[in-house]
Amino acid sequence: MAITGAAERLVSTPFIRLSEVAKTYPSRGETVVHAVERVSVDIAQSEFTSIVGPSGCGKTTLLNMIGGLLPVSSGQIRYEGLKDGRKLPQLGMVFQDAVLLPWRTVLENVMLPIEVAGVDRNEGQHRARELIGLVGLEGFEGRYPHELSGGMQQRASIARALVNDPSLLLMDEPFGALDALTRENMSLELQRIWHSSKKTVLFITHSIAESVFLSDRVLVMTARPSRVREIIDIDLPRPRTLQMTTDESFTRYVAHIRDLLSATAAM
Ligand SMILES: Nc1ncnc2c1ncn2[C@@H]1O[C@H](COP(=O)(O)OP(=O)(O)OP(=O)(O)O)[C@@H](O)[C@H]1O
Ligand SMILES: [Mg+2]
C-alpha cells in the first residue's frame, strides 16, 4: 500500500496546484471561522481524487475555491497548461444539493450550460438526451424539478455538469441523496465516464468505500481548520468492480482511512 504522509506532494504533470490555500469566514462577534488552513496539493491531469473528512471541516469551501466560486483568503490556486490566458478550465460542478431551476424541465435544466456556452442547440440537445439516459432519467425529460425525488434531481444535476464535456469535474457529495443501489450504479457509471473521457475529477464523499472504489488518490482532511492529514494512493487495478470491494486489498484501504478519520475526530 503506497501511502504518503506529507501534505505537500508533487505529481509529474500538475493540472491544479494549490499552494498554502487558506480560507477564513467572517463570523458574528470578534472571531473568524478558520475553515481551511494552508492546504498545498498538486492534482494531476485526468486524475480522480476524492476528498474525505469530518462534517464541517471545509471540504465544500475548498472545492468552491478551486471552482472559482469563492476567493481564497490567502495562498494560491493555479491551473497549469491553460491556453489563452484563461483563469479557469472548462468545468462542471455538482453541488451538495441539486440546484435546478424550478421553472425549467429536466431537459431544459441539463441544456442550460449549452445555452450559456452558445453551442449548437441540436447538437447540444442530442448530448443532453444521451446524458439524461445515462443517469437513468429517460422519460423524465419534460418533468419539472418538483415532480422528481431528491435523488432524481441530483442525477439531473450530474447530467447538467457533464453536458459541456468539461475537463474538470468538481463533485460535492453527488450521491448523498441516492439509495444504496442507485449509488453503486452511479459510481460504476462515473468510473466509466471518467475512464472514457479522462476528465480530472475532484469528488467529495462521506463514504470511505466510495472514495477507495473511485479514486487514484484520497485526500483525508483533518477537522476544522482543515489541512491535508494524509494522501493515500489507491493502488488497485482498474476498472474496479463491485466484487473487488470485499477483497482484502480494498478493505485494508477502507480500514486505514477510517482509522485516520476517527483519530482526527478524537483530536
Ligand atoms: N458562508 C459562510 N460563512 C461563515 N462560515 C461558513 C460559511 N460557509 C461555511 N462556513 C463554515 O466553514 C466551515 C466549513 O464548512 P464547509 O461547508 O466547507 O464544510 P464541509 O466539510 O463541506 O462540511 P459537510 O461535510 O457537512 O458538507 C464550517 O464550520 C462552516 O460553518
Ligand atoms: Mg460540504
Side-chain angles (χ1 to χ4, degrees), residues 100-113:
L100 300 174
L101 298 176
W103 59 88
R104 286 187 151 228
T105 63
V106 166
L107 181 62
E108 287 165 351
N109 265 289
V110 175
M111 289 285 290
L112 192 65

Side-chain angles (χ1 to χ4, degrees), residues 14-16 78 86 92 110 126 147 159 214 246 255 266:
F15 177 46
I16 308 169
R78 294 224 316 271
R86 273 186 299 145
V110 175
H126 177 72
E147 298 177 286
L214 285 166
T246 50

Side-chain angles (χ1 to χ4, degrees), residues 161-252:
L162 291 168
V163 77
N164 258 353
D165 201 20
S167 53
L168 173 63
L169 196 53
L170 303 177
M171 308 184 88
D172 193 351
E173 289 185 54
F175 305 153
L178 306 181
D179 65 87
L181 270 185
T182 310
R183 194 168 176 146
E184 274 181 6
N185 283 332
M186 288 300 295
S187 281
L188 287 166
E189 272 313 325
L190 181 59
Q191 174 177 237
R192 203 187 55 72
I193 290 166
W194 171 79
H195 190 255
S196 60
S197 62
K198 285 290 163 205
K199 295 180 192 317
T200 309
V201 183
L202 275 169
F203 182 89
I204 296 177
T205 179
H206 278 293
S207 162
I208 301 170
E210 200 168 83
S211 73
V212 173
F213 183 81
L214 285 166
S215 305
D216 296 314
R217 294 201 297 163
V218 178
L219 256 65
V220 182
M221 311 295 291
T222 65
R224 189 165 61 87
S226 67
R227 306 197 59 177
V228 179
R229 170 74 197 262
E230 198 166 296
I231 299 173
I232 298 144
D233 289 315
I234 309 295
D235 193 12
L236 295 172
R238 288 190 182 272
R240 315 250 164 95
T241 62
L242 294 177
Q243 287 74 18
M244 284 166 69
T245 59
T246 50
D247 291 350
E248 210 230 322
S249 51
F250 188 97
T251 54
R252 230 181 316 135

Side-chain angles (χ1 to χ4, degrees), residues 52-59 206 220-224 226 260-261 264-265:
V52 299
S55 180
C57 79
K59 302 178 296 297
H206 278 293
V220 182
M221 311 295 291
T222 65
R224 189 165 61 87
S226 67
L260 283 174
L261 288 175
T264 288

Side-chain angles (χ1 to χ4, degrees), residues 15 45 79-90 167:
F15 177 46
Q45 188 104 44
Y79 303 91
E80 310 285 334
L82 288 186
K83 285 186 233 136
D84 317 327
R86 273 186 299 145
K87 284 212 177 68
L88 274 173
Q90 174 81 264
S167 53

Side-chain angles (χ1 to χ4, degrees), residues 44-55:
Q45 188 104 44
S46 302
E47 189 173 54
F48 196 116
T49 305
S50 286
I51 304 172
V52 299
S55 180

